[in-house]
Amino acid sequence: MRIVCQKCAAAYAIDDKLITAKGVRAQCPRCRNLQLVRRDPSAVPAAGAPASQPAAPVTLTPVSGAAPAANPADDLFGDFGAPPPAAPAPGAAPAPKPARGEGRSASDLFGDFGAMPSPAPASAPPVDPFANVGAPASGGGGAGAEDPLLDFLGPPPSAPQGLESQPSRPAKPAAAKPATSGCRVCQKPLTDSFDQALGICDDCRQPGSAQAPAAASRPAAPAGNSDFLPPMADLGGGSASVAQASEPAPGAEPRSGARVPISTDIIPDMGPEPRSGLRASSPQLGAEPRSGSRSAPVLVTDGRSRGGKGGLVAGLVGLVVVGGGVGGYFLYQQQQEASRRQAGPPPVAAIPDAVQAVLPRWKLKYLEIPGTSAERLAQGQQQLARDERFAYAEAEESFQQALVLDPTSDAAIAGYVQALALGRGARMDDATFQEARALLSAAESRSGRTAPLLLAHANLLLARSGQPEQARPLAEELLARAELPDAQKAEAHLVLGRAWLSSSRELARSHFDSAQKLSPDIKRLHYYRALAHVSGGEYSAALDTLRKRLEASPKDWESLALTARIYQEVGEPAEARKLYEARVKAEPGELRALLPLAMLRYQAEGNAAGAVRDLRALMKNRARYDGPEVAEVLVHLAAAERTAGSQDAAVKSAEEALQLVKGLPEAHLQLFLVALGRRDAEKARTHLPGFRGQLEDGALEKVLEGRLLLLEKKPLEALEAFQEAVKLDARRLDAQLLAGVAAASARRRDDAFRALHQALQSDPLRLEPRPATSAYWLRPRETVEGVEGAILALSEGPEDPSPLLYEGLLRFHQHQFDAAERHLRSVLEVDANNAGALAYRSLIALQRGATADARRLGERAAAAGRQMPVSHLAHGLALAEARQVEPAKRALRDALALAPTLLSAQARLAQLESARGKDVARDTLVKVVGLDPAYLPAKRMLYLLER
């Protein structure tokens, strides 16, 4: 019969005659797996076979191609030693002893056990080791029906029997069991169940038994109840000495009748297996260590024959406890190690998508980063604490490098966004703003709403979104935390103060006071206090605050820049120049003072040629400055040269700046404007992406994009861009005019006149909102240059005044007054009472200083266009210039009644009313500045009122 091991799938052949009706247990030589083998139901039993037969020896023959038998050194039963041979039956002839290794089959499953030395004749009759215990409970049946593992595991717990201690008595000779099968080597009858299961007798199983003398192989068994336990085989394949093998093991567990093969797969090494039933009280031995060689067997004296039973039991109990504890400890360690191996290394948190999106770009930007992420992070914090514009840019780069080195650093994300918000402010493009918000969301998902992340988020919202109400809850959440340090509380108060600047100056000042008490060393505090004064029209108070700050810290460049900016906005550029000249005198060669002086020359004073000289002088000492600083000087040089009319020199300077700093938006803007002026649409298109999203004015970007579309002969797309600019900023009169030009270029007369009529009703003294100084420099009225003639193309004949009127309007805002006057006269020749033409002719007269003509034309305009705000505005301005205050006030009030957003009318009316009461005039001017912080005439009037 062919069987397959259930564990290692090794195939073996077994004799069908050896399998009983209930099956036999066989052990795989390869993996030592013990399994039950049952008879094949289709097999026919041999003739004359008994109905019930004892377990025959199982011989497993490897099938061709199956795994070879295991090495004897790996014998699973080697530690148990060889069992003692059964006593021969009285009168039985001794079986012949084969020579060493004789008759051993190559397929013998248990051949690894070897042969035991033949025992000498016993000096005493065989002793029944279980005579004192009694026979175990039996379920009936013959020997073949017994479970071969019953002797090892003990009787089933369902039928326990008590064990009574009995006095020692002479052992009765055990009757030999009738032999039911013979040894497969020497054909000797086998009476022992263990021998029957193995199919070989003790004599043939012991190697070298034929050469050893029978008398010296083993001594006579001692009398009494001492059981004989043979020595255990050595793991290395060697055998114990004859003297050791012949020594009995008193106190060992008695073994009766049949011996069964015992598999170590079911025997743990932590101690003896607990027994139940009859043998529960028998003394137990701890598990023998399985490693190393054993020098001598363990001898245990049976308490029943030697006495000292209490000490022996105590010793055995202690041995069991110690062995069990040690085994349990090692088993626990193995289980823990297995659990750790199965669990593997702790999972690494996945890098959020927002962080993964920026890492490739930043890695290309910083190919070699010195130091560690912690060092870059510490450097960024130090740069951030300096509270300077240049330091913010440096801190931004340090935090980027820290995040590249450690993508899990949420502190680097918080520092980067904080530096971005404080350094770039409103100059931040929309793409960078959205990227920063995504980074903050990713960091908050990993670290929670920490204080640095909330502060960075609040400052980012204040810098870009223009919605301070979104930043307030974040700062209030921070202040609600009791454990927050004073420095972070001060930052939260600064956020709240900035958030209230545009709506409540008192609340803003209150938060600034709280911030100063918590952290007096914050440099930005004085800056924000001055901004609070500026928002309230208190320019003198703002200048006093900044002056005190500069006296305490002359190198506070942020405060110095704000002071100079205030002077320029109130119409005092000479005072700003004095500030920077004082710093140059104290620190010759300081770029942060020399560069603003050059900017003042071409942006505020209108001296582009002088600015070019100053900037070229700076370039002679370019070795003193870093690459970004040199690039900044080159950008302003390009702007000054372009303003002075040197287009080629401007291109050269801007391109050199781009070589130093790739993607510099200010340089791309100057190159775009040069290409636009040269009507080079292809060149302009290449530079448009370079500054898109980077300017401080989104509506201005749309205007410039529309100008390029007009140059590319795409008037309808240009019209959409100009209309979008008007939606973004209704103050942009240039976008309204250009929308009319785009519609006219598309031959859409009605759309063109609709847009131009809206421009006609707007404030004529304000073409566009302009900052006092800017890195993104455009000449005044540059956005409406070069679009003449498109409106006149809509004329339907000499009797059509509308194209002439709107062409004159365009020329007026281009400051081409002669051409505007000519077109407006032509309109009046066709329509003598055209209110629009009369009003703008009045304004032209005011520009030329012809007050009488301006008043006369203004009266006619007001009479002809009673529902036209610009007519009353022109009349009021002419009357005010003629010092007719009351009529001028009435005319200006009429204009405001029709158009409350006419800021020039409000400012001029406040100036006229200041003679009676400064408070009323001041309130009006503060209202104007609140509506439009870039309306510089109102700021000038407020400054003069304070003086």
Side-chain angles (χ1 to χ4, degrees), residues 15-36:
D15 190 357
D16 293 342
K17 297 178 181 181
L18 301 179
I19 305 176
T20 64
K22 291 189 177 181
V24 295
R25 296 182 185 271
Q27 191 174 38
C28 175
R30 182 182 182 185
C31 66
R32 305 303 183 188
N33 179 47
L34 189 65
Q35 68 185 58
L36 182 63

Side-chain angles (χ1 to χ4, degrees), residues 16-366:
D16 293 342
K17 297 178 181 181
L18 301 179
I19 305 176
T20 64
K22 291 189 177 181
V24 295
R25 296 182 185 271
Q27 191 174 38
C28 175
R30 182 182 182 185
C31 66
R32 305 303 183 188
N33 179 47
L34 189 65
Q35 68 185 58
L36 182 63
V37 179
R38 297 184 182 276
R39 179 182 299 167
D40 188 358
S42 62
V44 180
S52 177
Q53 199 172 7
V58 179
T59 303
L60 299 183
T61 304
V63 180
S64 178
N71 192 310
D74 299 330
D75 184 9
L76 182 64
F77 301 100
D79 288 348
F80 291 95
K97 297 181 175 64
R100 181 184 181 99
E102 178 182 346
R104 182 173 301 175
S105 173
S107 61
D108 184 6
L109 177 63
F110 299 95
D112 294 343
F113 285 94
M116 294 182 63
S118 58
S123 60
V127 179
D128 184 4
F130 293 98
N132 294 344
V133 181
S138 174
E146 294 180 0
D147 187 355
L149 294 179
L150 180 60
D151 189 72
F152 177 75
L153 299 176
S158 58
Q161 295 184 9
L163 180 63
E164 298 179 0
S165 177
Q166 299 181 6
S168 177
R169 61 187 179 188
K172 298 179 181 180
K177 296 183 180 181
T180 58
S181 61
C183 175
R184 66 174 176 269
V185 177
C186 64
Q187 306 303 322
K188 175 183 176 180
L190 301 178
T191 59
D192 192 275
S193 299
F194 187 84
D195 297 336
Q196 294 173 3
L198 298 178
I200 187 171
C201 64
D202 286 346
D203 296 335
C204 298
R205 202 165 52 245
Q206 295 291 338
S209 59
Q211 290 79 3
S217 62
R218 59 181 296 177
N225 288 348
S226 298
D227 191 16
F228 170 74
L229 182 63
M232 294 187 178
D234 184 63
L235 288 176
S239 60
S241 64
V242 176
Q244 291 175 344
S246 62
E247 189 69 17
E253 180 179 342
R255 188 171 54 206
S256 64
R259 299 182 179 91
V260 297
I262 303 173
S263 172
T264 56
D265 293 342
I266 61 173
I267 304 177
D269 290 344
M270 295 178 295
E273 180 179 351
R275 300 295 183 91
S276 61
L278 284 173
R279 303 181 186 181
S281 61
S282 299
Q284 304 293 324
L285 294 179
E288 182 178 1
R290 297 298 179 90
S291 61
S293 60
R294 289 174 292 278
S295 59
V298 180
L299 301 179
V300 182
T301 305
D302 189 354
R304 292 174 294 184
S305 60
R306 300 288 182 89
K309 180 177 180 180
L312 175 62
V313 172
L316 291 176
V317 171
L319 182 62
V320 170
V321 172
V322 173
V326 173
Y329 171 77
F330 284 109
L331 180 61
Y332 173 77
Q333 293 294 331
Q334 293 175 358
Q335 292 176 349
Q336 293 296 320
E337 182 65 24
S339 300
R340 285 192 292 268
R341 286 197 299 267
Q342 293 176 0
V348 180
I351 300 177
D353 295 340
V355 179
Q356 291 181 352
V358 303
L359 286 180
R361 188 174 72 252
W362 291 356
K363 287 179 180 179
L364 290 177
K365 183 179 180 181
Y366 309 108

Side-chain angles (χ1 to χ4, degrees), residues 157 177 292 331 373 395 432 478 494 633 686 688 704 807 822 876:
K177 296 183 180 181
L331 180 61
S373 176
T432 304
L478 283 172
L494 280 181
V633 174
T686 61
L688 178 63
L704 296 176
E807 184 70 19
R822 185 173 63 253

Side-chain angles (χ1 to χ4, degrees), residues 833 835 838 856-867 871-872 875:
N833 293 322
L838 291 170
R856 177 177 55 82
L857 291 170
E859 290 176 355
R860 289 179 59 189
R866 295 185 180 275
Q867 298 301 319
S871 299
H872 296 285
H875 188 208

Side-chain angles (χ1 to χ4, degrees), residues 558-641:
E558 293 298 319
S559 297
L560 180 63
L562 179 58
T563 305
R565 194 189 82 188
I566 293 174
Y567 276 126
Q568 294 175 66
E569 289 179 349
V570 298
E572 298 288 342
E575 296 295 328
R577 174 168 290 278
K578 291 178 181 179
L579 285 174
Y580 286 117
E581 287 176 346
R583 292 311 311 156
V584 171
K585 185 177 181 180
E587 298 181 52
E590 176 58 55
L591 182 63
R592 285 175 288 186
L594 293 171
L595 184 59
L597 284 173
M599 291 173 62
L600 280 173
R601 286 197 183 278
Y602 79 93
Q603 293 189 14
E605 300 172 356
N607 187 0
V612 170
R613 288 194 301 269
D614 293 345
L615 292 168
R616 289 191 181 279
L618 286 176
M619 291 303 299
K620 292 180 181 179
N621 299 320
R622 62 185 301 172
R624 297 182 179 179
Y625 314 122
D626 297 333
E629 295 175 337
V630 175
E632 188 176 7
V633 174
L634 287 170
V635 165
H636 286 288
L637 179 59
E641 289 171 335

